[in-house]
Amino acid sequence: MSAMDASSPAAVASTDRRQGAWPNGFWGLLLLLATEGALLMVLYATYFYLRTRAVEWPLGGIEAPDPVVPLILTATLVATSLPMALASGAARRGRARAAWIAILVALFVQAGYFAFEMHSFASDLDTFQPDDNAYASIYYTVLGADHFHVFVGMLLNLWLLARLLGGLTSYRAVGVRAVSWYWHFANLMTLFTIGTILSAAV
Amino acid sequence: MAVAIPPAIERRLDRLERIWEEPSGLVGWLTTTNHKRIGLLFLFTTLLFFLAGGVEALLIRTQLLAPEKGVLGPDAFNQMFSTHGVTMIFFVVVPMSIGAFGNYLVPLMVGARDMAFPRMNAFSFWVFLCSGVFLYTGVFAGHAPNAGWFNYVPLASKEFDPGPNVDFYALALLFSGISTTATSINLIVTIFKLRAPGMSINRMPLFCFAFLAVSFALVFALPPLNVALVLLELERLAGFHFYDVGSGGSALLWQHLFWIFGHPEVYIIILPAFGIATSIIPTFARRRMVAFPLVALAEILVAFIGFGVWAHHMFAVGLTQLTTIYFAAASLVIVIPSGIQLFAWITTLVTGRPRFKTPLLWIVGFIVFFIVGGLSGIMFAAIPFDQQMTDTYFVVAHFHFVIFGAAMFPLVGGLYYWFPKVSGRLFDERLGKLSFWLTFVGATVTFFPMHIVGLLGMPRRQYTYPGGLGWTGYNLAETIGSYVLGAGLLLVVVNLAVSLRCGAPAGDDPWEGDTLEWSIPSPPPEYNYAVIPTVSSPYPMWDREDRELDERRLAAGEMTLERGHETPTSSVEDANLDEIVAMPSASWAPLLTALMLAALFAMLVTRHWVAAGGFFGLAFAVVGVWHWNEPEGA
Amino acid sequence: MTARRLPGRLRPAARRVLGAGALLLAVLLLAGCGDGAQSSFDTNSEPSRLIERLFWWMVLGAAVVFGGAVALLAISWFRRSRSGIPLFGEREPVATTAVVTFGIVIPILTLAGLFTAANVLVMRKTNAPAPSSTSMTIEVVGRQWFWEFRYPGTDAVTANELHIPTQTRINLVVQTADVIHSFWVPQLNRKIDAIPGKSNRILLYADAPGTYRGQCSEFCGLQHAHMSLRVYAEPKAQFDGWLRNEASPAPELASAEAARGRDVFMSEACASCHTIRGTEARGEVGPDLTHVGGRQTLAALTIPNTAADMAKWITNPQAVKPGNKMPGLRLTPDETKAIVAYLQRLE
């Protein structure tokens, strides 16, 4: 009656139904998200601490970011929580193909988002550099931290796509569920990030 | 055992032992994922760092024996006291508590066969070892941290400290933080999910409450430190601006970030000690802990409130009056949960029939030191007094009373208490008592006069001091005390090392203990528990009917999970049996990942960015390979 | 086994209590009392007095708590073969009530009292003063590793030896030119940090004339241990005379040797780090030396200001204060003697 080798959809689904409590791996992920969330929150607090001590903001004549494009991009990224949630639900019901497709859709959009953001980063660097002043430094650090978390999320999605090619087990179903929660976290944090960065325009 | 075990059952137990056994020799230790082995690895490593930190302390005290001595010049002294602090806090007390005691004992106390994530557990250890080696490579190269353990900017900035000293500091702490976070997550999930069915939250030993609280505190306390360190290194290595006033930064930003971590850190230092004390006291007082629910709640409250008091380390920097008053008030509030625990312990001893054996003596010493250290701490919540005495030897006295007296004493007491369980042998009781008295007297003579010399005006972190100010005699006494203290601790190690070879057999339960680990043989079998224990109270060993039920089930062969490498998991609150999970076996992946990370940090401190990036990617790749093989079922 | 204890034998618990107490006493006696020149007990100002009084009240409270706890521990030893609380027997609720009373109720009351006394009443006197309540301002700039003192409204700039008039409320403005330092003269007031980009203020007030020693109290690098200062509190008339002199440029020289010393000073690296008002020396790295001859110490109280010590300092500063920013200059003994003669005349 080992949970690990259940691999038919019915077996996976029945294991998921039988599990009353959250699996160990899921708790592990939640705690990792707690610590990473705390880290990002401290970064945001640092941004506002530096801001309240500044005479003008942004410093050094740097232009405040234009809100339109970042907001659209963020909305696009946050929307990928939907296919990730669908993937998680499908995996728990033992439906491997549906889960795989949903993850692929999400990854596609996330990759597009990431490419746009890298382009935006590069064009920002043409205008002002992180070693210009504290505004520039915290701007690039907050954005960089968020992009890093998005990048890791994309790697996790790639991993899932590779793993699910070999079939769905309840172990892997827990993995899909965990990664979908990772993405809800990353998307929520991106909302905070963009709010922090765009606050300079206010 | 009361009931005889039939030979057929013996054979099944042997088979279970073989299923859980790991490879022998060096390979076995390098690939281990067993929580007991990992706990021992942590113990020996932290004892080595304790020796290093102790030598640093003795060198400091020898330099301060008399005014204007020439034992250490200013640069060497500054490296010495900074490294002493960093070593003792990050590489001795915390990893010994959660890495050694936590790893070895928490699964045993909750009736589990291992930690929730055995390979991540091994990873924790190898990262810890590599981060310590990383730090001490810097130390031996003459580039030890030299700006104090809290490393204030601008002194620690590139402008005023251009060498690699501060880079070693920051990178070593970022590196070891990975280990601490991993162990904390492991402890939380183990305590939540791996408790024996029937051990609901309110039936969990107080030791586990303390370790649950400390693990949550670490999960939330390490991020501010990590942010502070990353921002510092970005500023030092890449020219970013966070802390330099000239470019819009703030020197106080570092202090806030550091102490938002640093204050919870000191409760992190002491909470495991609380847990050890609350294990030893009921056993030796031969009665249940007074006000158990209040004590459990107090342990959690200390961890929680500890996040709201950090700026009491900054009362002299010129914060607003409102800010200082808030933080002083919050700092007084946290006295309450500590007071609850103190009175519960003392009342338990008074109302019980205590046997003052060596482990209990160390706990009594802990109580005495904790009271003195706590009282001087309360004095610091009186803001004007704090503003007079901060950064003097008065505060050095305070924190050594609470860190050495109140955190280290229970750790040593715990070493004595669980030594019979881990080794199967008894230590020499007379030597044990002597080691206690030497250490207690030594610590008192070392640290108490520091209160006085601080009141007489001696600031801290001074490589020397002038004569004629009334400080010389006290410093001499403190130095003498430190050597006595060192002798006492040495005697502890000698006692345990000799007893390891020649001690009398201990049996399962030499102390008539209250928690589950005393129900299994000493040393424990590889699989810990053959039979899932029945639990109806936080003192399972004193519930004789439950233990007899376990014995009957063993004799009848009603063992659980003997087919493979498995352990049960249960629900968080009520510990209803949830699922059977397969546990991973020995693996090279944790060690390899740690080595990739070690290479990464070595490249960072030597500023080889591309190579660093390469090793970062390699680390990810090894983690991928690590998780490619899922744990096997039956 | 409840055998009666023989009265003569001291039990280990009692021994423990008495031993600890005897030890503390021995340490106190053995160590002896010294000069006390930087002692927080030797107060000379209302803020310090209030802090000291606060301290003694807290020690009293602490002694009561500590004594009570040790007494209970001793009881646990003496009654170790009997369970239950003395007088109350074995009733569990009594034990819990004791924990709640002594662990919650009494601490709340005591700590509320402490908070009011310290953080409402005493703090009023140790906070930064309202500038309107002070009659003069002095600026302090902490530098690695000396103290610069400026008297706004005059040209006076000096180092490490701060002169003030007695019985005058002084608004001390504390800043730093490099890393964080902390200004501390325990006999006169609490400490205040010097933070980059901030100007912190503290009250300086001396009841009586005297010399009060202080020291940097925030680790600031290699020579943090040798960054002391002295406050000279003097009657107003005497202070006014000192300030007038200090604000004036360097005095005219009377001897040939001193003139020669001045020439060496200006041509060597000295003038690029030190200021002597009234000459071409305008350096900002080291202390102002305009009236250095009148000081009693050098190198932030590290050495006395005698000709011999000054010569040693100039010849090999790194031997006196290793790591400080003054380089050893290659001077002939004659040149050194001349510079010393020059500087000693700058009173």
Side-chain angles (χ1 to χ4, degrees), chain B residues 240-401:
Chain B
F240 282 49
H241 300 288
F242 298 104
Y243 304 118
D244 58 338
V245 173
S247 302
S250 163
L252 287 182
L253 173 63
W254 168 271
Q255 295 194 24
H256 281 296
L257 287 174
F258 185 86
W259 288 116
I260 293 176
F261 150 78
H263 194 82
E265 172 75 353
V266 310
Y267 293 112
I268 286 163
I269 285 171
I270 204 152
L271 270 168
F274 289 170
I276 295 175
T278 45
S279 297
I280 292 180
I281 288 176
T283 300
F284 286 91
R286 296 184 274 191
R287 62 148 291 159
R288 300 173 171 221
M289 177 66 64
V290 169
F292 177 102
L294 276 180
V295 175
L297 183 64
E299 280 172 355
I300 293 172
L301 274 179
V302 165
F304 191 70
I305 302 176
F307 277 88
V309 304
W310 78 86
H312 69 218
H313 299 268
M314 296 166 64
F315 279 161
V317 309
L319 300 169
T320 68
Q321 187 167 349
L322 193 60
T323 311
T324 44
I325 290 199
Y326 158 72
F327 279 103
S331 307
L332 286 174
V333 168
I334 206 168
V335 174
I336 309 296
S338 307
I340 291 174
Q341 292 189 72
L342 261 173
F343 268 94
W345 298 324
I346 295 178
T347 315
T348 308
L349 284 175
V350 170
T351 58
R353 293 175 302 123
R355 299 167 289 157
F356 285 90
K357 302 249 178 180
T358 301
L360 187 64
L361 279 187
W362 287 91
I363 298 304
V364 172
F366 145 73
I367 291 177
V368 172
F369 277 113
F370 184 49
I371 294 176
V372 175
L375 289 169
S376 60
I378 292 173
M379 292 185 186
F380 277 109
I383 297 167
F385 178 77
D386 177 293
Q387 292 166 333
Q388 182 74 298
M389 281 295 114
T390 188
D391 264 292
T392 67
Y393 265 81
F394 195 92
V395 75
V396 177
H398 161 71
F399 67 67
H400 280 99
F401 265 81

Side-chain angles (χ1 to χ4, degrees), chain C residues 129-145:
Chain C
S132 56
S133 72
T134 60
S135 35
M136 76 182 281
T137 297
I138 298 179
E139 286 170 7
V140 177
V141 182
R143 295 175 179 271
Q144 284 177 320
W145 289 279

Side-chain angles (χ1 to χ4, degrees), chain C residues 55-347:
Chain C
F55 167 70
W56 284 116
W57 279 104
M58 291 194 293
V59 165
L60 180 63
V64 168
V65 172
F66 182 70
V70 169
L72 284 172
L73 287 172
I75 290 175
S76 79
W77 164 265
F78 284 111
R79 286 178 46 94
R80 64 190 181 282
S81 48
R82 276 169 287 172
S83 54
I85 308 175
L87 303 177
F88 288 100
E90 296 208 33
R91 283 171 293 163
E92 192 65 19
V94 177
T96 314
T97 312
V99 171
V100 171
T101 310
F102 291 99
I104 306 179
V105 177
I106 291 183
I108 288 181
L109 295 171
T110 337
L111 296 177
L114 172 64
F115 183 84
T116 311
N119 301 337
V120 176
L121 300 174
V122 174
M123 204 166 134
R124 279 193 204 137
K125 301 296 177 126
T126 56
N127 267 343
S132 56
S133 72
T134 60
S135 35
M136 76 182 281
T137 297
I138 298 179
E139 286 170 7
V140 177
V141 182
R143 295 175 179 271
Q144 284 177 320
W145 289 279
F146 66 96
W147 295 98
E148 180 178 289
F149 301 119
R150 298 172 169 270
Y151 293 77
T154 73
D155 287 334
V157 178
T158 185
N160 304 321
E161 298 185 4
L162 175 61
H163 288 250
I164 62 171
T166 53
Q167 312 234 332
T168 312
R169 286 175 65 85
I170 296 167
N171 181 32
L172 207 68
V173 178
V174 179
Q175 301 163 303
T176 174
D178 39 46
V179 300
I180 299 179
H181 300 278
S182 189
F183 179 89
W184 189 40
V185 183
Q187 294 170 298
L188 297 183
N189 208 341
R190 38 148 297 194
K191 57 176 63 81
I192 186 79
D193 285 358
I195 310 280
K198 259 170 96 69
S199 279
N200 283 332
R201 294 180 312 105
I202 195 175
L203 174 73
L204 205 63
Y205 183 99
D207 290 338
T211 310
Y212 308 108
R213 198 180 192 281
Q215 212 165 339
C216 176
S217 293
E218 184 62 62
F219 179 60
C220 56
L222 284 171
Q223 282 299 331
H224 168 63
H226 288 124
M227 191 170 156
S228 301
L229 68 125
R230 251 190 216 156
V231 176
Y232 293 87
E234 6 192 65
K236 187 104 185 23
Q238 198 180 330
F239 168 76
D240 286 340
W242 175 87
L243 185 60
R244 241 190 329 269
N245 180 54
E246 198 68 26
S248 65
E252 286 304 312
L253 299 173
S255 92
E257 194 186 23
R260 198 167 150 263
R262 183 189 57 199
D263 294 336
V264 180
F265 186 97
M266 298 303 159
S267 59
E268 287 284 338
C270 321
S272 59
C273 287
H274 292 282
T275 296
I276 299 183
R277 284 172 272 129
T279 72
E280 57 266 34
R282 287 276 150 209
E284 300 274 295
V285 178
D288 184 300
L289 297 180
T290 312
H291 297 283
V292 63
R295 293 183 206 152
Q296 298 185 329
T297 65
L298 294 174
L301 272 62
T302 308
I303 48 177
N305 187 7
T306 67
D309 284 293
M310 186 185 262
K312 254 190 290 199
W313 171 242
I314 293 175
T315 313
N316 194 353
Q318 295 301 319
V320 177
K321 201 167 165 179
N324 92 87
K325 296 186 183 174
M326 185 153 130
L329 300 166
R330 259 161 301 172
L331 300 170
T332 67
D334 272 342
E335 287 173 324
T336 309
K337 202 156 156 288
I339 290 187
V340 170
Y342 170 55
L343 293 174
Q344 291 292 335
R345 287 193 188 266
L346 294 178
E347 287 181 351

Side-chain angles (χ1 to χ4, degrees), chain B residues 88-324:
Chain B
M88 289 306 200
I89 291 177
F90 294 100
F91 293 92
V92 179
V93 177
V94 174
M96 192 186 284
S97 303
I98 63 172
F101 283 85
N103 271 326
Y104 198 103
L105 294 168
V106 165
L108 292 179
M109 285 209 190
V110 300
R113 286 197 169 152
D114 208 316
M115 296 280 278
F117 305 117
R119 288 176 302 179
M120 188 168 81
N121 202 11
F123 171 70
S124 267
F125 170 71
W126 294 116
V127 166
F128 167 67
L129 177 64
C130 288
S131 67
V133 169
F134 175 84
L135 176 70
Y136 270 81
T137 306
V139 172
F140 287 124
H143 300 306
N146 62 0
W149 90 275
F150 41 86
N151 205 59
Y152 278 177
V153 297
L155 184 64
S157 70
K158 197 166 62 168
E159 184 187 350
F160 295 102
D161 208 333
N165 310 58
V166 172
D167 301 317
F168 271 103
Y169 166 88
L171 293 170
L173 291 187
L174 281 167
F175 196 7
S176 81
I178 299 172
S179 163
T180 319
T181 305
T183 301
S184 305
I185 293 179
N186 224 338
L187 281 169
I188 292 173
V189 182
T190 305
I191 291 173
F192 271 2
K193 295 282 318 216
L194 261 57
R195 301 198 307 276
M199 186 186 280
S200 52
I201 284 261
N202 60 323
R203 291 179 190 162
M204 195 167 73
L206 286 168
F207 184 92
C208 299
F209 273 101
F211 276 75
L212 188 64
V214 80
S215 301
F216 267 107
L218 275 165
V219 163
F220 291 106
L222 282 172
L225 176 68
N226 291 332
V227 169
L229 294 171
V230 168
L231 297 189
L232 180 67
E233 286 302 282
L234 283 173
E235 187 170 287
R236 287 179 57 90
L237 302 176
F240 282 49
H241 300 288
F242 298 104
Y243 304 118
D244 58 338
V245 173
S247 302
S250 163
L252 287 182
L253 173 63
W254 168 271
Q255 295 194 24
H256 281 296
L257 287 174
F258 185 86
W259 288 116
I260 293 176
F261 150 78
H263 194 82
E265 172 75 353
V266 310
Y267 293 112
I268 286 163
I269 285 171
I270 204 152
L271 270 168
F274 289 170
I276 295 175
T278 45
S279 297
I280 292 180
I281 288 176
T283 300
F284 286 91
R286 296 184 274 191
R287 62 148 291 159
R288 300 173 171 221
M289 177 66 64
V290 169
F292 177 102
L294 276 180
V295 175
L297 183 64
E299 280 172 355
I300 293 172
L301 274 179
V302 165
F304 191 70
I305 302 176
F307 277 88
V309 304
W310 78 86
H312 69 218
H313 299 268
M314 296 166 64
F315 279 161
V317 309
L319 300 169
T320 68
Q321 187 167 349
L322 193 60
T323 311
T324 44

Side-chain angles (χ1 to χ4, degrees), chain B residues 6 26 52 255 282 305 342 399 402 420 479 494 523 526 558 591 597 603:
Chain B
L26 184 61
Q255 295 194 24
I305 302 176
L342 261 173
F399 67 67
V402 286
T479 303
V494 165
E526 295 287 339
E558 284 168 26
L591 173 59
L597 291 177
M603 293 300 106

